[in-house]
Amino acid sequence: MANGRRKDEWEEPPTGFVAEANITERDADAFPEAGWPACWEAAADLLEWDRPYDDVLDDDGTTCWFPGGRLNAASNCVDRHVAADRGDETAIIWEGKLEETRTYTYRELYAEVNAFAAALRDLGVGEDDVVTIYLPMVPELPIAMLACARIGAPHSVVFAGFSADALATRMSGADSEYLVTCDGYYRRGTALDLKHMADNACLSVEQSIERVIVNRLHDDIPAGDHHAFDDLVADHAGTEIAPVERDVDDLLFLIYTSGTTGEPTLVRHTTGGYLAHVAWTSHAVFDLMPDDVLWCSADVGWITGHSYTVYGPLSIGATTVLYEGTPDHPEKDRLWEVIDRNDVNVFYTAPTSIRAFMKWGSEYPDRHDLSSLRLLGSVGEPIDETTWQWYREHVGGGECPVVDTWWQTETGGVVLSTLPGVDSMQPGAVGRSLPGVEAAVVDGLGKPVDSGLPGELVLTRPWPGMAKSLCEQTDWGGRRTRTADGDWQYETGDKAVRDGDGYLHLRGRADDVFNVSGHRLSSTEIESAIVGVEGVAEAAVVGRSDTVKGMAVHAFVSPESNVAGDDALRDQIERAVESAIGAIAVPHTVTFAPSLPKTRSGKVVRRYLEAIANGEDLGDTSALRNPEIVGELESLLEQ
Ligand code: WT7
């Protein structure tokens, strides 16, 4: 399908939607007229500035968006809606496990954020001090984020599914001396002791850590070396903290993601550009209006949740749903029941989840009234046509536009998508780039390839949500480059094809990063955990296509010569990965191999292992130092 589907098979946005959309054809025409970067002014206009910016973009080498501007993200997400007489509107609907629900109006959110901000100050948190937040999907998570933003303390949210080791690495790397966590939480019916993990992490970092604990499992946590979140908020109830004016370029948060090295990559996002980008894309791509209820199903521990559960919808003044449970508990219709009960208007999830829903069957969504939905979004990996059509038909009732949104932790917000009230939808393609974003598909030398041919996706102009690391001249993992002609170019690490109509079709990663059930993992990070196991000589990890997860982790491990590749070793490997990263990274398959395919210079060729794991043809393997291993591995997998 390199050239895309025939145009008569494209889907047009529903006319009712088009008539009411935030971005109409006329608006869309105005962006190119305004030109780049001026068209991004529309994004900045969605925010309230304490000091107006001097210019849209300062490209003196720092690539600072909206230079001179000053603002506070928390006041943009909370205070201004209260000031605009919308204090009684719902800001957050929390759907907890065990049938608990809680809602916060903007006024209530204001009170909580202020009280916790005051508490953080009392604990000694100053402007620019990094606060680590290690919490599951509880309301205290966005509250803590906004409290940090209010006092100008960048937060660093660590996904609660990560291990103690992973938490420790992230606290050390960010030089963070404050941690907000909880006593524990339920995962698939079992109580997990998060506090114990956090305690272990605190023991293994050099700095001493001030801890705040949210009570999630127990009413009381034995007194100790920490403060209880509820007590802090109660003690500071009614205190108001003036939002700290931040420079556009000051940090709003840090977030770690998997890069191409063995270590997690630190990504830093700034206050002005990031917030403008997520507010704008919430408005333009998700068509979010202040009266809407949006549910982005990703965990807030990932960038998706930062941008479209917290900062995007709250900056617009809409209602955001925070969901703690799993999709199949108590029953497989749980999500549809939540949408029905809360009249959710915009639903945003990942293809891996949609494929699971599809497998469970349409009788589950059919049981509920989903007519409140007006737009559906997809993110995280390519969505195939069948899944797209099922989503549109059985969740959207055939009446909702579906936006396939491409972006990354580094881009901060959506950069490739259709505009739902303007563009035709081509199932299986993300569409063109958004106004003000320029994308190209290039070859190994950075030269654009013809449409229909595969290449690497690059972005050729800066955009406001770009991570600060991308703005700086420093060579950042080799991904932000200037071409031979001196042009700006950001290498995304993804493979893509542009069809004859200019629509982009994503083809997965071109590097050693892959996505498993919406979690971005790095081969090298997992490998370094595996080779740390005694008795393991070498390991290579690849992604294997999986009909539901999208990708599954397949590890090829070669034990030392006197060590058996048996269940005991497999068990140790699994435990090592779980403790270094977390359960999400544990290999689904471990194949013990006498050796791994290598080039003559001794480099393991992951490409061949990937083909073997996926049952694909390898082509010519004669350049290998040990071509015979290929046949051996193939027959090992056939067994
Ligand atoms: C990688 C970024 C922020 C989005 C969630 C994950 C893949 C993302 C799509 C899409 C095809 C996609 C890419 C990208 N990806 N969206 N619509 N179609 N692939 O953020 O963890 O930083 O992962 O997710 O491979 O590089 P992330």
Side-chain angles (χ1 to χ4, degrees):
M1 290 299 295
N3 289 314
R5 284 164 58 113
R6 291 205 332 265
K7 267 209 162 138
D8 57 9
E9 289 173 38
W10 292 22
E11 308 274 355
E12 292 311 315
T15 34
F17 184 93
V18 172
E20 308 273 322
N22 279 338
I23 302 291
T24 61
E25 197 143 359
R26 218 182 52 220
D27 304 314
D29 289 344
F31 297 121
E33 280 166 32
W36 179 92
C39 60
W40 282 109
E41 205 151 349
D45 283 349
L46 292 173
L47 303 182
E48 190 178 84
W49 297 82
D50 297 328
R51 182 192 183 281
Y53 51 90
D54 301 322
D55 209 348
V56 177
L57 176 67
D58 184 352
D59 200 11
D60 62 352
T62 54
T63 326
C64 172
W65 285 88
F66 315 117
R70 296 183 73 79
L71 76 167
N72 181 282
S75 116
N76 265 280
C77 289
V78 186
D79 303 30
R80 63 165 167 157
H81 309 310
V82 178
D85 227 7
R86 300 190 67 250
D88 294 328
E89 303 292 329
T90 306
I92 299 176
I93 298 177
W94 178 61
E95 286 280 350
K97 279 209 185 117
L98 319 172
E99 313 286 307
E100 287 164 276
T101 64
R102 236 193 269 171
T103 62
Y104 292 80
T105 63
Y106 274 97
R107 197 185 316 284
E108 287 163 343
L109 183 61
Y110 177 85
E112 293 276 321
V113 169
N114 270 279
F116 193 56
L120 286 175
R121 274 243 174 108
D122 271 4
L123 292 179
V125 180
E127 199 176 341
D128 291 320
D129 286 345
V130 176
V131 177
T132 304
I133 306 175
Y134 184 51
L135 283 175
M137 295 285 274
V138 290
E140 289 83 354
L141 172 53
I143 289 168
M145 292 163 77
L146 293 165
C148 289
R150 191 165 193 90
I151 58 172
H155 52 72
S156 169
V157 178
V158 177
F159 173 56
F162 278 136
S163 65
D165 281 1
L167 172 63
T169 314
R170 286 157 177 77
M171 284 196 295
S172 305
D175 229 344
S176 173
E177 295 177 357
Y178 302 91
L179 173 65
V180 183
T181 184
C182 69
D183 53 351
Y185 69 108
Y186 291 98
R187 197 164 62 197
R188 306 209 178 275
T190 5
L192 291 174
D193 189 345
L194 208 62
K195 180 168 180 301
H196 179 69
M197 311 245 296
D199 286 344
N200 281 343
C202 290
L203 287 176
S204 64
V205 298
E206 273 177 17
Q207 68 269 39
S208 70
I209 310 274
E210 191 81 68
R211 269 165 279 177
V212 176
I213 311 283
V214 172
N215 297 43
R216 177 70 193 106
L217 284 187
H218 311 286
D219 290 339
D220 277 313
I221 307 162
D225 204 4
H226 63 259
H227 309 267
F229 186 98
D230 288 346
D231 293 347
L232 289 179
V233 167
D235 290 348
H236 294 83
T239 314
E240 296 201 355
I241 291 283
V244 172
E245 259 187 33
R246 299 282 279 168
D247 188 83
V248 271
D249 221 23
D250 284 340
L251 293 187
L252 177 59
F253 65 88
L254 314 178
I255 186 164
Y256 280 87
T257 187
S258 294
T260 49
T261 67
E263 291 290 309
T265 307
L266 174 63
V267 175
R268 294 169 298 144
H269 280 289
T270 59
T271 308
Y274 170 82
L275 199 66
H277 195 115
V278 298
W280 160 250
T281 43
S282 299
H283 170 83
V285 176
F286 299 113
D287 198 53
L288 201 63
M289 307 193 186
D291 290 338
D292 278 330
V293 180
L294 172 141
W295 180 9
C296 160
S297 76
D299 194 287
V300 171
W302 308 108
I303 189 76
T304 319
H306 278 59
S307 300
Y308 299 110
T309 299
V310 183
Y311 289 110
L314 296 180
S315 63
I316 297 290
T319 302
T320 188
V321 176
L322 192 70
Y323 179 70
E324 191 189 29
T326 44
D328 54 355
H329 188 82
E331 270 229 64
K332 291 192 172 71
D333 67 340
R334 173 71 175 154
L335 302 192
W336 321 124
E337 185 254 323
V338 169
I339 291 178
D340 186 355
R341 185 156 36 81
N342 294 296
D343 289 326
V344 172
N345 306 110
V346 178
F347 182 59
Y348 190 34
T349 195
T352 177
S353 309
I354 307 168
R355 285 192 296 267
F357 308 149
M358 203 160 79
K359 211 165 117 187
W360 297 341
S362 54
E363 63 264 34
Y364 296 103
D366 286 354
R367 273 186 209 166
H368 296 276
D369 177 5
L370 304 181
S371 60
S372 57
L373 288 172
R374 7 181 243 103
L375 180 134
L376 301 174
S378 171
V379 65
E381 49 177 314
I383 177 164
D384 59 276
E385 288 180 45
T386 316
T387 308
W388 193 100
Q389 293 291 5
W390 189 91
Y391 192 31
R392 179 172 155 90
E393 207 42 52
H394 295 283
V395 182
E399 308 267 336
C400 302
V402 178
V403 285
D404 179 7
T405 64
W406 182 96
W407 57 294
Q408 306 178 304
T409 307
E410 296 86 342
T411 71
V414 176
V415 283
L416 308 182
S417 168
T418 48
L419 288 171
V422 179
D423 299 319
S424 319
M425 299 168 274
Q426 185 191 164
V430 289
R432 304 187 183 91
S433 52
L434 292 179
V437 173
E438 235 172 62
V441 179
V442 300
D443 63 17
L445 299 171
K447 291 267 173 278
V449 298
D450 289 340
S451 63
L453 293 178
E456 187 179 338
L457 177 74
V458 295
L459 301 178
T460 55
R461 273 187 175 165
W463 62 97
M466 60 197 277
K468 191 169 168 124
S469 339
L470 293 183
C471 309
E472 291 165 350
Q473 285 298 352
T474 47
D475 186 19
W476 185 64
R479 305 199 33 211
R480 173 230 200 263
T481 51
R482 283 193 188 265
T483 62
D485 313 328
D487 294 333
W488 198 92
Q489 195 172 86
Y490 164 64
E491 294 164 16
T492 66
D494 273 38
K495 293 178 283 192
V497 178
R498 193 194 284 279
D499 66 27
D501 296 297
Y503 274 44
L504 289 156
H505 300 244
L506 274 298
R507 292 288 158 79
R509 298 285 300 200
D511 55 15
D512 299 328
V513 171
F514 47 86
N515 269 52
V516 176
S517 300
H519 302 151
R520 179 161 145 186
L521 302 172
S522 132
S523 309
T524 30
E525 215 175 314
I526 304 175
E527 284 159 8
S528 65
I530 299 179
V531 295
V533 173
E534 216 180 292
V536 170
E538 282 186 308
V541 168
V542 297
R544 170 166 49 77
S545 299
D546 181 280
T547 46
V548 174
K549 295 184 190 79
M551 283 280 164
V553 181
H554 192 133
F556 290 87
V557 178
S558 124
E560 281 168 7
S561 51
N562 52 348
V563 175
D566 54 11
D567 285 348
L569 188 60
R570 187 186 320 266
D571 201 51
Q572 278 182 40
I573 289 170
E574 289 174 358
R575 274 187 289 131
V577 176
E578 180 162 359
S579 94
I581 307 170
I584 47 168
V586 171
H588 303 93
T589 314
V590 176
T591 302
F592 289 111
S595 67
L596 303 175
K598 287 187 184 157
T599 59
R600 289 190 202 282
S601 59
K603 207 169 169 282
V604 175
V605 192
R606 283 212 197 82
R607 187 163 42 90
Y608 287 136
L609 291 171
E610 204 172 271
I612 294 170
N614 286 290
E616 289 162 2
D617 187 27
L618 273 72
D620 184 11
T621 55
S622 59
L624 290 176
R625 173 199 285 175
N626 53 348
E628 69 289 347
I629 190 65
V630 167
E632 266 181 72
L633 286 173
E634 280 171 335
S635 55
L636 267 174
L637 286 190
E638 273 161 21
Q639 283 165 21

